[in-house]
Amino acid sequence: MAVICKSPAELDKMHRAGLVVWRVLNELKQMVRPGMTTMDLEKYAARRVAEQGGRAAFKGYRGYPCVLCTSLNQEVVHGIPSAKRRIEEGDILSLDFGVEMEGYYGDAAVTIPVGKIAPETERLLQVTRESLDRAIDQARPGNRLSDISHAVQSWVEQNGFSVVRELVGHGIGTRMHEDLQLPNYGEPGHGPRLREGMTLAIEPMVNVGKPAIRILDDEWTAVTADGSLSAHFEHTVAITSNGPWILTRPREVDGPSW
Ligand code: MF3
Ligand code: CO
């Protein structure tokens, strides 16, 4: 398999899928309240993607049962929505969502505070989001893939947090996972050179404590091995001659990634 570069017309299709991802995630962000269950969010996302003519990309992917991943607190990623799981004041909630439209994919994630959270937890969210901003800034023609990885790791570790090793970002396009795995750690200057038209899902996963994770008996939910809190931010990004293009948000939005 090889890295697939997309034409401008293909990037427009990815952007259309990406805009559905962005809208749904933003609507979910606004509606999250203590007392809701993660299944309430799942149902809303399933309805909204259908209304916009998209197909939820996660449901049925390797047997994943839902359209949304909802990961609370020490859950890193791939938490499965449940009518038994109530969201509480002070939680952090990672929402991960993917859409396919016209054969092209968009994938993004955001971690949100539920009501008032501890200052150290605020800092976790901020540093993780900033690590994504810095990673995206490296997504330019001529740079190497590991320049992106290094941007995440260096910012996270300078700030006293740690980067999950077992899970990575990825190429994306006409499949949710295309060639190129993108670790969130590494020395700069290694790996393939980035070229115009490449599209990557960049997704730092950051723990307050140690990097190790384990998978729960549901075979999906990744949690921190030490029980510490974890955050996840993601965007689908195109490498263009004008610099990084975040496909999972409207063009008119700029500034921080989330
Ligand atoms: N955003 C995740 C990824 O890039 C979610 C996919 S896992 C799924 O791999 F099973 F939920 F689809
Ligand atoms: Co992804």
Side-chain angles (χ1 to χ4, degrees):
M1 247 183 309
V3 176
I4 304 152
C5 289
K6 280 79 180 176
S7 67
E10 289 181 296
L11 294 182
D12 283 333
K13 286 188 188 177
M14 289 184 69
H15 193 209
R16 284 198 282 278
L19 288 176
V20 177
V21 174
W22 185 83
R23 273 185 222 116
V24 172
L25 285 176
N26 270 283
E27 290 169 11
L28 291 169
K29 261 173 83 174
Q30 312 282 316
M31 68 187 263
V32 169
R33 297 278 182 284
M36 284 182 162
T37 71
T38 53
M39 185 55 77
D40 296 332
L41 304 176
E42 162 75 14
K43 291 205 170 116
Y44 181 85
R47 175 165 67 76
R48 288 292 290 135
V49 68
E51 283 170 0
Q52 293 172 78
R55 183 182 68 81
F58 296 177
K59 191 163 184 160
Y61 180 84
R62 297 182 174 218
Y64 187 73
C66 290
V67 304
L68 192 66
C69 297
T70 51
S71 309
L72 282 157
N73 302 326
Q74 79 290 348
E75 296 170 355
V76 179
V77 288
H78 303 165
I80 303 173
S82 161
K84 293 186 195 135
R85 192 71 191 271
R86 231 166 258 289
I87 299 163
E88 290 171 23
E89 171 83 22
D91 282 348
I92 55 171
L93 172 62
S94 302
L95 299 169
D96 190 349
F97 191 55
V99 167
E100 178 256 319
M101 265 173 85
E102 301 175 73
Y104 288 82
Y105 284 78
D107 182 7
V110 62
T111 301
I112 59 173
V114 182
K116 202 169 160 43
I117 60 172
E120 174 71 350
T121 314
E122 290 275 10
R123 202 170 68 83
L124 171 69
L125 301 196
Q126 180 173 336
V127 168
T128 308
R129 196 261 296 150
E130 287 167 350
S131 77
L132 175 59
D133 298 347
R134 286 164 177 258
I136 291 171
D137 192 55
Q138 293 298 316
R140 297 173 184 279
N143 279 1
R144 300 281 195 122
L145 189 67
S146 82
D147 296 340
I148 299 176
S149 311
H150 180 73
V152 173
Q153 183 181 23
S154 57
W155 187 244
V156 166
E157 292 183 355
Q158 268 173 60
N159 283 282
F161 298 130
S162 73
V163 158
V164 172
R165 304 296 202 267
E166 290 93 332
L167 300 163
V168 298
H170 49 94
I172 179 169
T174 58
R175 288 176 298 126
M176 186 161 65
H177 295 136
E178 289 189 345
D179 245 18
L180 287 193
Q181 294 200 352
L182 174 56
N184 290 304
Y185 62 94
E187 291 303 316
H190 296 282
R193 213 168 273 289
L194 303 178
R195 285 179 288 128
E196 249 183 86
M198 283 184 180
T199 45
L200 294 169
I202 307 178
E203 47 180 321
M205 288 153 263
V206 175
N207 300 346
V208 167
K210 298 225 161 60
I213 61 167
R214 65 188 178 86
I215 308 296
L216 299 186
D217 288 339
D218 65 15
E219 294 181 357
W220 279 102
T221 313
V223 299
T224 55
D226 62 8
S228 67
L229 296 176
S230 186
H232 179 212
F233 286 79
E234 176 178 18
H235 270 302
T236 297
V237 177
I239 288 145
T240 82
S241 54
N242 296 322
W245 176 15
I246 300 178
L247 296 169
T248 35
R249 75 178 188 185
R251 271 200 187 270
E252 58 273 18
V253 176
D254 60 6
S257 56
W258 276 105

